[in-house]
Amino acid sequence: MPDYLYIGAALSVAVLITFSLRAIPFVIRSRLGGSALLESFGQWMPLGAVAILAVYALSSIDIGNSVHGIPQIAGVAATVGMHLWRRNVALSILVGTAVCVVLQNWVL
């Protein structure tokens, strides 16, 4: 038989932590409204996210596999090409991921 008090306390702590973690960025943003640090983060974070995704994709290449990382390299190339063409980070990540997934699962 489960202890309902223990489950309720654990659930309350989880809800409190989740709510706090979601609220902290908004509190920080309201306090740092026009700071140069926040503007710098806004400028460099999309590039950082794309760089981390590219490194992750390229680190998973298996040289011993018959396709030798073609889907991952094509996905990174599609991401870079789309970003140079459209300058839209979300679109670039979406297209690069789609190219990689399609090549990995259905083509090669």
Side-chain angles (χ1 to χ4, degrees), residues 66-106:
S66 64
V67 294
H68 302 297
I70 292 171
Q72 291 88 350
I73 294 169
V76 170
T79 302
V80 170
M82 183 60 68
H83 187 70
L84 291 175
W85 179 44
R86 300 296 296 193
R87 299 280 183 205
N88 186 334
V89 175
L91 181 63
S92 303
I93 292 172
L94 180 72
V95 168
T97 302
V99 166
C100 184
V101 167
V102 167
L103 288 176
Q104 183 95 30
N105 292 322
W106 292 302

Side-chain angles (χ1 to χ4, degrees), residues 21-90:
L21 289 174
R22 303 267 174 133
I24 286 172
F26 295 105
V27 171
I28 290 173
R29 184 166 188 237
S30 68
R31 301 237 169 117
L32 296 176
S35 78
L37 177 65
L38 203 58
E39 280 190 32
S40 180
F41 277 158
Q43 181 181 7
W44 291 103
M45 285 304 287
L47 177 64
V50 171
I52 289 170
L53 286 171
V55 168
Y56 176 75
L58 295 176
S59 69
S60 67
I61 292 176
D62 182 15
I63 301 299
N65 196 353
S66 64
V67 294
H68 302 297
I70 292 171
Q72 291 88 350
I73 294 169
V76 170
T79 302
V80 170
M82 183 60 68
H83 187 70
L84 291 175
W85 179 44
R86 300 296 296 193
R87 299 280 183 205
N88 186 334
V89 175

